[in-house]
Amino acid sequence: MKAGIMMVKRTFTIGMAGHIDHGKTTLTKALTDIDTDRLKEEKARNVSIEPGFAPLHLTEDMDVSIIDVPGHERFIRQMIAGVAGIDAVVLTVAADEGVMPQTKEHLEILSLLGVTGGLIAVTKVDNVEKELLELAAEDIREEVQGTPFSNAEMVFVDSISQSGIHKVREKLTEVLQTVPMRNTRGAFRLPIDQVFSVHGQGTVVRGTVYEGSITEGDTIQVLPLRKMMKVRQLQIHGTQVEKGVAGQRLAMNLSGVDREELKRGDVAVSAEHYVTTQLINIVLHTSKEMHYALKQRGHIKLHLGTAEVYGNIVFFDRNVLKPEKQEVLCQLRLNDPIVTKRNDTFIVRRPSPTETVGGGWVINPNAERLRFGETSIRLLEQEMEGTPAEHIKKAIWVNYWLSAEVLAKETGILIDDVKEILQQLKENGEVIEYSNGKLVLRERYDQFLKAIKQELQEFHQTHPLQKGKNKQELQAMKEMDMPKDLTERFIERAEAEGEIKRDKQFISLYPFSPAFPKGWETKMTQAKEKWVKDGLTPRPWAEYMQEQSIPMELREELKYSFLQAYEAITMDEKHIWPAFKVVEAAKQLKQQYPASFTLQDAKEELNITRKYLVPFLEWLDEQNWTKRQENERVWRNYDK
């Protein structure tokens, strides 16, 4: 190692599995010099009840823990909890007994959980003759065909005499060198398998770190309790450390929580990016050791991480699950919440009669109730086959726009992976990110832009005199049926890109401008000139239209266009004023009477009859230009 460069250790957890009394605990002690049978009951009965843990030194760049899982059938749940977080397995088979029922069940569970790395340790070899040892090896090799141990190395060992121990170490090192590195980035996750109190220290939890890392002093949350607490101290196999990473067996001393509040099966996380759920869609691979059919909505027990939760299994393409090897897309409806994410593996057991139904992986941790039928099966197939990027894009599409944190919860994908995928999608131009941290698919915006441009194009053709379509009317479009804030962002973007323009509440295509309809330019111009000339004493609007033979459908359109463009002011139902004439009259009146005036003053100054004067003065009041006081009107800026 070069000077100045710190060695980065890789962390691993190895499981010892096999039938009861096949030498798992003795082999663990021979490898680590630690007796993992801790409980008095275990000592008395010589049977492992709870998983035991010990550090194993192989190489300087490896940090390895061994889990000795129970082999007795009654302790299968602890065995499942033990192997759920491991990187490789040592399958122990006693040379004097060969493959036994629990050996087969352990093999099946390891296969269902997707454990791939492994080593077969044929133990107690000093107890048998060489010929019997060869027969046992042939029997073992035949039994492991079709399991994760089909091509596993087989080592012959006797833990009492230490024969073959060095070979086990050597082969384990080779196996671990081929195991992919655990994800030490992103959100920390540790399923709790032990909770206890230490006098003077408080509450301590133990478990295998599935993902991420944690540092002494960090704040974590325990789910599904949803309670925040601080990490006071970290230990690995009794040694205090400052940091724990994925793959390590870790003990955490927590402050702010009582021992009674926590339990085995809870999950410690560093953020709120993990889903707490009671409804999950799964891929279930049935066990070849399954002997009894399971009916629709049958009772099951789910083993996921260290959690054990009862619930019901729901099928969408059958009413009975037959005891034959098959893959089934289905749903679990659980009695209690669990913490999980996509790709987590699990085991499903039947409570009565007790047996392993199968195992598989979670395809949607945030599922919704589905109905029986082909439609639901197709949905599950899409969920199963989609890539993480496809699931992220689907979640964004369904929800219109989402933040990275919410996407992590919706999809069950680790937050750092979500951010990495989103960055790639942004670089590809597939998503747009806004200042509020939410992201939307470019496809959604393009669809919106196409629809609004088509809508405005048709509106301009039908209403060429109007400056644009009212924004509230545009909201009725089905493409606008999305969060209001997002609609506003889309309009702003379209405006910034020069696709549309806005004039207060009116939206139009760029560079559209209102114009007289083709063929009516001259007649409308003449009608407008006469109307403007009449000023404050206009005739009914219909008369100007009739004089120029303008058709009925264009009369109100032209009138509305003047009002919309603030070229006209409504006098009453039949009359409108030219806006600039009204403003000129107001200025003339104010110049002559700068403080206040009477109705008679205005009549003489403007030389108009009461028919036009009264509406004009009322309009001045409505606009807050004037305020009536007894027989006078006072200009508001002179109102002391």
Side-chain angles (χ1 to χ4, degrees), residues 145-181:
Q145 292 305 306
T147 76
F149 290 85
S150 296
N151 300 312
E153 288 273 0
M154 187 179 294
V155 180
F156 299 94
V157 62
D158 192 281
S159 301
I160 303 300
S161 67
Q162 297 284 305
S163 170
I165 292 297
H166 72 286
K167 194 69 173 179
V168 174
R169 289 176 169 276
E170 178 185 316
K171 293 301 178 182
L172 274 177
T173 302
E174 292 177 6
V175 167
L176 293 179
Q177 286 173 343
T178 66
V179 174
M181 290 188 67

mmCIF file of all heavy atoms in Angstrom, residues 145-181:
data_model
loop_
_atom_site.group_PDB
_atom_site.id
_atom_site.type_symbol
_atom_site.label_atom_id
_atom_site.label_comp_id
_atom_site.label_asym_id
_atom_site.label_seq_id
_atom_site.Cartn_x
_atom_site.Cartn_y
_atom_site.Cartn_z
ATOM 1 N N GLN A 145 -28.172 -29.432 -6.577
ATOM 2 C CA GLN A 145 -28.418 -29.062 -7.968
ATOM 3 C C GLN A 145 -29.683 -28.210 -8.073
ATOM 4 O O GLN A 145 -30.697 -28.512 -7.454
ATOM 5 C CB GLN A 145 -28.562 -30.318 -8.846
ATOM 6 C CG GLN A 145 -27.280 -31.113 -9.005
ATOM 7 C CD GLN A 145 -26.151 -30.251 -9.534
ATOM 8 O OE1 GLN A 145 -26.266 -29.598 -10.571
ATOM 9 N NE2 GLN A 145 -25.024 -30.246 -8.805
ATOM 10 N N GLY A 146 -29.588 -27.127 -8.844
ATOM 11 C CA GLY A 146 -30.737 -26.233 -8.998
ATOM 12 C C GLY A 146 -30.865 -25.229 -7.878
ATOM 13 O O GLY A 146 -31.857 -24.496 -7.812
ATOM 14 N N THR A 147 -29.873 -25.174 -6.983
ATOM 15 C CA THR A 147 -29.872 -24.209 -5.877
ATOM 16 C C THR A 147 -28.678 -23.269 -6.052
ATOM 17 O O THR A 147 -27.835 -23.481 -6.929
ATOM 18 C CB THR A 147 -29.761 -24.919 -4.511
ATOM 19 O OG1 THR A 147 -28.404 -25.354 -4.324
ATOM 20 C CG2 THR A 147 -30.699 -26.111 -4.437
ATOM 21 N N PRO A 148 -28.572 -22.228 -5.217
ATOM 22 C CA PRO A 148 -27.405 -21.326 -5.308
ATOM 23 C C PRO A 148 -26.072 -22.031 -5.069
ATOM 24 O O PRO A 148 -25.010 -21.468 -5.338
ATOM 25 C CB PRO A 148 -27.673 -20.290 -4.209
ATOM 26 C CG PRO A 148 -29.149 -20.295 -4.021
ATOM 27 C CD PRO A 148 -29.561 -21.712 -4.250
ATOM 28 N N PHE A 149 -26.124 -23.283 -4.565
ATOM 29 C CA PHE A 149 -24.889 -24.009 -4.258
ATOM 30 C C PHE A 149 -24.522 -25.044 -5.325
ATOM 31 O O PHE A 149 -23.676 -25.906 -5.098
ATOM 32 C CB PHE A 149 -25.031 -24.699 -2.896
ATOM 33 C CG PHE A 149 -25.060 -23.740 -1.749
ATOM 34 C CD1 PHE A 149 -26.245 -23.133 -1.371
ATOM 35 C CD2 PHE A 149 -23.913 -23.421 -1.063
ATOM 36 C CE1 PHE A 149 -26.282 -22.239 -0.323
ATOM 37 C CE2 PHE A 149 -23.933 -22.523 -0.011
ATOM 38 C CZ PHE A 149 -25.122 -21.924 0.358
ATOM 39 N N SER A 150 -25.158 -24.955 -6.489
ATOM 40 C CA SER A 150 -24.895 -25.931 -7.556
ATOM 41 C C SER A 150 -23.415 -26.012 -7.893
ATOM 42 O O SER A 150 -22.869 -27.107 -8.103
ATOM 43 C CB SER A 150 -25.688 -25.558 -8.814
ATOM 44 O OG SER A 150 -27.061 -25.643 -8.575
ATOM 45 N N ASN A 151 -22.764 -24.858 -7.962
ATOM 46 C CA ASN A 151 -21.348 -24.838 -8.346
ATOM 47 C C ASN A 151 -20.446 -24.386 -7.202
ATOM 48 O O ASN A 151 -19.297 -23.975 -7.424
ATOM 49 C CB ASN A 151 -21.159 -23.902 -9.542
ATOM 50 C CG ASN A 151 -21.961 -24.342 -10.758
ATOM 51 O OD1 ASN A 151 -21.938 -25.514 -11.136
ATOM 52 N ND2 ASN A 151 -22.681 -23.408 -11.357
ATOM 53 N N ALA A 152 -20.962 -24.462 -5.980
ATOM 54 C CA ALA A 152 -20.189 -24.006 -4.829
ATOM 55 C C ALA A 152 -19.042 -24.966 -4.519
ATOM 56 O O ALA A 152 -19.145 -26.177 -4.713
ATOM 57 C CB ALA A 152 -21.092 -23.868 -3.613
ATOM 58 N N GLU A 153 -17.943 -24.396 -4.013
ATOM 59 C CA GLU A 153 -16.810 -25.201 -3.567
ATOM 60 C C GLU A 153 -17.237 -26.047 -2.367
ATOM 61 O O GLU A 153 -18.009 -25.601 -1.517
ATOM 62 C CB GLU A 153 -15.652 -24.300 -3.151
ATOM 63 C CG GLU A 153 -14.948 -23.618 -4.313
ATOM 64 C CD GLU A 153 -13.842 -24.488 -4.895
ATOM 65 O OE1 GLU A 153 -13.638 -25.612 -4.381
ATOM 66 O OE2 GLU A 153 -13.203 -24.043 -5.859
ATOM 67 N N MET A 154 -16.719 -27.289 -2.286
ATOM 68 C CA MET A 154 -17.002 -28.164 -1.158
ATOM 69 C C MET A 154 -15.709 -28.379 -0.379
ATOM 70 O O MET A 154 -14.695 -28.784 -0.951
ATOM 71 C CB MET A 154 -17.576 -29.499 -1.640
ATOM 72 C CG MET A 154 -18.062 -30.396 -0.510
ATOM 73 S SD MET A 154 -18.765 -31.954 -1.123
ATOM 74 C CE MET A 154 -20.206 -31.396 -2.005
ATOM 75 N N VAL A 155 -15.753 -28.077 0.928
ATOM 76 C CA VAL A 155 -14.573 -28.211 1.778
ATOM 77 C C VAL A 155 -14.878 -29.201 2.900
ATOM 78 O O VAL A 155 -15.941 -29.119 3.528
ATOM 79 C CB VAL A 155 -14.178 -26.846 2.385
ATOM 80 C CG1 VAL A 155 -12.946 -26.997 3.271
ATOM 81 C CG2 VAL A 155 -13.914 -25.827 1.294
ATOM 82 N N PHE A 156 -13.966 -30.106 3.135
ATOM 83 C CA PHE A 156 -14.129 -31.097 4.191
ATOM 84 C C PHE A 156 -13.409 -30.597 5.436
ATOM 85 O O PHE A 156 -12.222 -30.243 5.400
ATOM 86 C CB PHE A 156 -13.560 -32.443 3.744
ATOM 87 C CG PHE A 156 -14.265 -32.986 2.528
ATOM 88 C CD1 PHE A 156 -13.771 -32.742 1.253
ATOM 89 C CD2 PHE A 156 -15.437 -33.709 2.661
ATOM 90 C CE1 PHE A 156 -14.425 -33.216 0.131
ATOM 91 C CE2 PHE A 156 -16.102 -34.200 1.543
ATOM 92 C CZ PHE A 156 -15.603 -33.932 0.276
ATOM 93 N N VAL A 157 -14.142 -30.582 6.563
ATOM 94 C CA VAL A 157 -13.597 -29.944 7.747
ATOM 95 C C VAL A 157 -14.025 -30.680 9.009
ATOM 96 O O VAL A 157 -15.110 -31.292 9.039
ATOM 97 C CB VAL A 157 -14.064 -28.466 7.807
ATOM 98 C CG1 VAL A 157 -15.576 -28.379 7.902
ATOM 99 C CG2 VAL A 157 -13.406 -27.711 8.936
ATOM 100 N N ASP A 158 -13.166 -30.623 10.018
ATOM 101 C CA ASP A 158 -13.546 -31.106 11.342
ATOM 102 C C ASP A 158 -13.147 -30.014 12.336
ATOM 103 O O ASP A 158 -11.959 -29.725 12.513
ATOM 104 C CB ASP A 158 -12.833 -32.418 11.696
ATOM 105 C CG ASP A 158 -13.439 -33.057 12.934
ATOM 106 O OD1 ASP A 158 -13.107 -32.595 14.052
ATOM 107 O OD2 ASP A 158 -14.258 -33.981 12.790
ATOM 108 N N SER A 159 -14.150 -29.395 12.927
ATOM 109 C CA SER A 159 -13.908 -28.228 13.766
ATOM 110 C C SER A 159 -13.192 -28.579 15.060
ATOM 111 O O SER A 159 -12.510 -27.717 15.641
ATOM 112 C CB SER A 159 -15.239 -27.539 14.084
ATOM 113 O OG SER A 159 -15.880 -27.150 12.891
ATOM 114 N N ILE A 160 -13.333 -29.823 15.556
ATOM 115 C CA ILE A 160 -12.679 -30.213 16.813
ATOM 116 C C ILE A 160 -11.175 -30.366 16.607
ATOM 117 O O ILE A 160 -10.362 -29.841 17.375
ATOM 118 C CB ILE A 160 -13.285 -31.523 17.355
ATOM 119 C CG1 ILE A 160 -14.811 -31.375 17.542
ATOM 120 C CG2 ILE A 160 -12.605 -31.913 18.664
ATOM 121 C CD1 ILE A 160 -15.216 -30.300 18.505
ATOM 122 N N SER A 161 -10.809 -31.054 15.538
ATOM 123 C CA SER A 161 -9.376 -31.274 15.276
ATOM 124 C C SER A 161 -8.739 -30.139 14.475
ATOM 125 O O SER A 161 -7.536 -30.147 14.252
ATOM 126 C CB SER A 161 -9.194 -32.596 14.521
ATOM 127 O OG SER A 161 -9.754 -32.488 13.201
ATOM 128 N N GLN A 162 -9.593 -29.195 14.014
ATOM 129 C CA GLN A 162 -9.147 -28.047 13.195
ATOM 130 C C GLN A 162 -8.751 -28.451 11.776
ATOM 131 O O GLN A 162 -8.239 -27.634 11.012
ATOM 132 C CB GLN A 162 -7.964 -27.330 13.853
ATOM 133 C CG GLN A 162 -8.284 -26.716 15.206
ATOM 134 C CD GLN A 162 -9.081 -25.423 15.072
ATOM 135 O OE1 GLN A 162 -8.671 -24.498 14.401
ATOM 136 N NE2 GLN A 162 -10.236 -25.400 15.722
ATOM 137 N N SER A 163 -9.050 -29.684 11.402
ATOM 138 C CA SER A 163 -8.730 -30.155 10.053
ATOM 139 C C SER A 163 -9.589 -29.406 9.027
ATOM 140 O O SER A 163 -10.812 -29.364 9.141
ATOM 141 C CB SER A 163 -9.008 -31.660 9.946
ATOM 142 O OG SER A 163 -8.920 -32.101 8.602
ATOM 143 N N GLY A 164 -8.928 -28.806 8.032
ATOM 144 C CA GLY A 164 -9.638 -28.123 6.949
ATOM 145 C C GLY A 164 -10.057 -26.699 7.262
ATOM 146 O O GLY A 164 -10.613 -26.014 6.393
ATOM 147 N N ILE A 165 -9.801 -26.194 8.471
ATOM 148 C CA ILE A 165 -10.213 -24.837 8.846
ATOM 149 C C ILE A 165 -9.519 -23.801 7.960
ATOM 150 O O ILE A 165 -10.148 -22.837 7.494
ATOM 151 C CB ILE A 165 -9.924 -24.563 10.337
ATOM 152 C CG1 ILE A 165 -10.825 -25.424 11.226
ATOM 153 C CG2 ILE A 165 -10.153 -23.074 10.654
ATOM 154 C CD1 ILE A 165 -12.306 -25.132 11.078
ATOM 155 N N HIS A 166 -8.214 -24.005 7.725
ATOM 156 C CA HIS A 166 -7.489 -23.058 6.865
ATOM 157 C C HIS A 166 -8.065 -23.027 5.459
ATOM 158 O O HIS A 166 -8.095 -21.990 4.786
ATOM 159 C CB HIS A 166 -6.004 -23.416 6.822
ATOM 160 C CG HIS A 166 -5.706 -24.667 6.040
ATOM 161 N ND1 HIS A 166 -5.985 -25.946 6.519
ATOM 162 C CD2 HIS A 166 -5.191 -24.829 4.782
ATOM 163 C CE1 HIS A 166 -5.647 -26.841 5.617
ATOM 164 N NE2 HIS A 166 -5.163 -26.205 4.548
ATOM 165 N N LYS A 167 -8.565 -24.204 4.987
ATOM 166 C CA LYS A 167 -9.155 -24.285 3.649
ATOM 167 C C LYS A 167 -10.473 -23.508 3.594
ATOM 168 O O LYS A 167 -10.789 -22.844 2.592
ATOM 169 C CB LYS A 167 -9.396 -25.753 3.282
ATOM 170 C CG LYS A 167 -9.687 -25.988 1.806
ATOM 171 C CD LYS A 167 -8.469 -25.734 0.952
ATOM 172 C CE LYS A 167 -8.714 -26.132 -0.495
ATOM 173 N NZ LYS A 167 -7.534 -25.855 -1.354
ATOM 174 N N VAL A 168 -11.244 -23.586 4.667
ATOM 175 C CA VAL A 168 -12.496 -22.825 4.733
ATOM 176 C C VAL A 168 -12.191 -21.333 4.634
ATOM 177 O O VAL A 168 -12.851 -20.592 3.899
ATOM 178 C CB VAL A 168 -13.261 -23.132 6.043
ATOM 179 C CG1 VAL A 168 -14.486 -22.227 6.167
ATOM 180 C CG2 VAL A 168 -13.686 -24.590 6.083
ATOM 181 N N ARG A 169 -11.199 -20.858 5.369
ATOM 182 C CA ARG A 169 -10.806 -19.459 5.314
ATOM 183 C C ARG A 169 -10.398 -19.048 3.899
ATOM 184 O O ARG A 169 -10.801 -17.994 3.393
ATOM 185 C CB ARG A 169 -9.632 -19.203 6.271
ATOM 186 C CG ARG A 169 -10.004 -19.248 7.743
ATOM 187 C CD ARG A 169 -8.741 -19.090 8.598
ATOM 188 N NE ARG A 169 -9.071 -18.871 9.989
ATOM 189 C CZ ARG A 169 -9.363 -17.684 10.513
ATOM 190 N NH1 ARG A 169 -9.390 -16.618 9.743
ATOM 191 N NH2 ARG A 169 -9.651 -17.568 11.795
ATOM 192 N N GLU A 170 -9.601 -19.884 3.296
ATOM 193 C CA GLU A 170 -9.097 -19.591 1.949
ATOM 194 C C GLU A 170 -10.238 -19.493 0.936
ATOM 195 O O GLU A 170 -10.301 -18.547 0.137
ATOM 196 C CB GLU A 170 -8.119 -20.704 1.540
ATOM 197 C CG GLU A 170 -7.541 -20.570 0.145
ATOM 198 C CD GLU A 170 -6.686 -21.763 -0.228
ATOM 199 O OE1 GLU A 170 -5.881 -22.216 0.621
ATOM 200 O OE2 GLU A 170 -6.832 -22.261 -1.373
ATOM 201 N N LYS A 171 -11.159 -20.458 0.982
ATOM 202 C CA LYS A 171 -12.271 -20.464 0.020
ATOM 203 C C LYS A 171 -13.269 -19.340 0.299
ATOM 204 O O LYS A 171 -13.847 -18.769 -0.629
ATOM 205 C CB LYS A 171 -12.973 -21.826 0.039
ATOM 206 C CG LYS A 171 -12.120 -22.964 -0.497
ATOM 207 C CD LYS A 171 -11.689 -22.690 -1.933
ATOM 208 C CE LYS A 171 -10.796 -23.779 -2.481
ATOM 209 N NZ LYS A 171 -10.338 -23.471 -3.873
ATOM 210 N N LEU A 172 -13.474 -19.016 1.583
ATOM 211 C CA LEU A 172 -14.365 -17.901 1.913
ATOM 212 C C LEU A 172 -13.811 -16.594 1.358
ATOM 213 O O LEU A 172 -14.558 -15.753 0.844
ATOM 214 C CB LEU A 172 -14.534 -17.788 3.428
ATOM 215 C CG LEU A 172 -15.622 -18.657 4.067
ATOM 216 C CD1 LEU A 172 -15.614 -18.483 5.577
ATOM 217 C CD2 LEU A 172 -16.994 -18.327 3.499
ATOM 218 N N THR A 173 -12.514 -16.419 1.461
ATOM 219 C CA THR A 173 -11.888 -15.212 0.924
ATOM 220 C C THR A 173 -12.120 -15.114 -0.579
ATOM 221 O O THR A 173 -12.458 -14.038 -1.108
ATOM 222 C CB THR A 173 -10.377 -15.219 1.217
ATOM 223 O OG1 THR A 173 -10.176 -15.315 2.632
ATOM 224 C CG2 THR A 173 -9.717 -13.946 0.705
ATOM 225 N N GLU A 174 -11.985 -16.236 -1.278
ATOM 226 C CA GLU A 174 -12.211 -16.247 -2.729
ATOM 227 C C GLU A 174 -13.667 -15.922 -3.062
ATOM 228 O O GLU A 174 -13.952 -15.160 -3.997
ATOM 229 C CB GLU A 174 -11.833 -17.617 -3.302
ATOM 230 C CG GLU A 174 -10.344 -17.926 -3.243
ATOM 231 C CD GLU A 174 -10.029 -19.326 -3.760
ATOM 232 O OE1 GLU A 174 -10.976 -19.989 -4.272
ATOM 233 O OE2 GLU A 174 -8.869 -19.758 -3.658
ATOM 234 N N VAL A 175 -14.595 -16.493 -2.291
ATOM 235 C CA VAL A 175 -16.016 -16.244 -2.538
ATOM 236 C C VAL A 175 -16.342 -14.763 -2.349
ATOM 237 O O VAL A 175 -17.013 -14.134 -3.181
ATOM 238 C CB VAL A 175 -16.898 -17.109 -1.605
ATOM 239 C CG1 VAL A 175 -18.350 -16.630 -1.642
ATOM 240 C CG2 VAL A 175 -16.822 -18.568 -2.014
ATOM 241 N N LEU A 176 -15.858 -14.172 -1.261
ATOM 242 C CA LEU A 176 -16.180 -12.776 -0.953
ATOM 243 C C LEU A 176 -15.579 -11.809 -1.962
ATOM 244 O O LEU A 176 -16.124 -10.722 -2.182
ATOM 245 C CB LEU A 176 -15.710 -12.428 0.461
ATOM 246 C CG LEU A 176 -16.456 -13.145 1.598
ATOM 247 C CD1 LEU A 176 -15.891 -12.729 2.945
ATOM 248 C CD2 LEU A 176 -17.950 -12.866 1.542
ATOM 249 N N GLN A 177 -14.468 -12.176 -2.569
ATOM 250 C CA GLN A 177 -13.861 -11.308 -3.574
ATOM 251 C C GLN A 177 -14.729 -11.177 -4.824
ATOM 252 O O GLN A 177 -14.563 -10.243 -5.608
ATOM 253 C CB GLN A 177 -12.470 -11.822 -3.946
ATOM 254 C CG GLN A 177 -11.439 -11.565 -2.857
ATOM 255 C CD GLN A 177 -10.101 -12.226 -3.131
ATOM 256 O OE1 GLN A 177 -10.005 -13.140 -3.964
ATOM 257 N NE2 GLN A 177 -9.066 -11.779 -2.442
ATOM 258 N N THR A 178 -15.666 -12.113 -5.013
ATOM 259 C CA THR A 178 -16.564 -12.064 -6.175
ATOM 260 C C THR A 178 -17.907 -11.419 -5.849
ATOM 261 O O THR A 178 -18.723 -11.199 -6.741
ATOM 262 C CB THR A 178 -16.831 -13.486 -6.709
ATOM 263 O OG1 THR A 178 -17.563 -14.236 -5.735
ATOM 264 C CG2 THR A 178 -15.528 -14.202 -7.029
ATOM 265 N N VAL A 179 -18.152 -11.123 -4.561
ATOM 266 C CA VAL A 179 -19.447 -10.547 -4.148
ATOM 267 C C VAL A 179 -19.470 -9.062 -4.483
ATOM 268 O O VAL A 179 -18.524 -8.337 -4.157
ATOM 269 C CB VAL A 179 -19.674 -10.751 -2.641
ATOM 270 C CG1 VAL A 179 -20.932 -10.023 -2.177
ATOM 271 C CG2 VAL A 179 -19.766 -12.236 -2.314
ATOM 272 N N PRO A 180 -20.537 -8.570 -5.147
ATOM 273 C CA PRO A 180 -20.641 -7.132 -5.444
ATOM 274 C C PRO A 180 -20.620 -6.309 -4.166
ATOM 275 O O PRO A 180 -21.126 -6.736 -3.124
ATOM 276 C CB PRO A 180 -21.990 -7.012 -6.160
ATOM 277 C CG PRO A 180 -22.291 -8.393 -6.654
ATOM 278 C CD PRO A 180 -21.689 -9.325 -5.655
ATOM 279 N N MET A 181 -20.058 -5.113 -4.257
ATOM 280 C CA MET A 181 -19.998 -4.232 -3.094
ATOM 281 C C MET A 181 -21.390 -3.769 -2.698
ATOM 282 O O MET A 181 -22.233 -3.512 -3.552
ATOM 283 C CB MET A 181 -19.117 -3.012 -3.393
ATOM 284 C CG MET A 181 -17.644 -3.327 -3.504
ATOM 285 S SD MET A 181 -16.635 -1.828 -3.630
ATOM 286 C CE MET A 181 -16.869 -1.119 -1.998
#
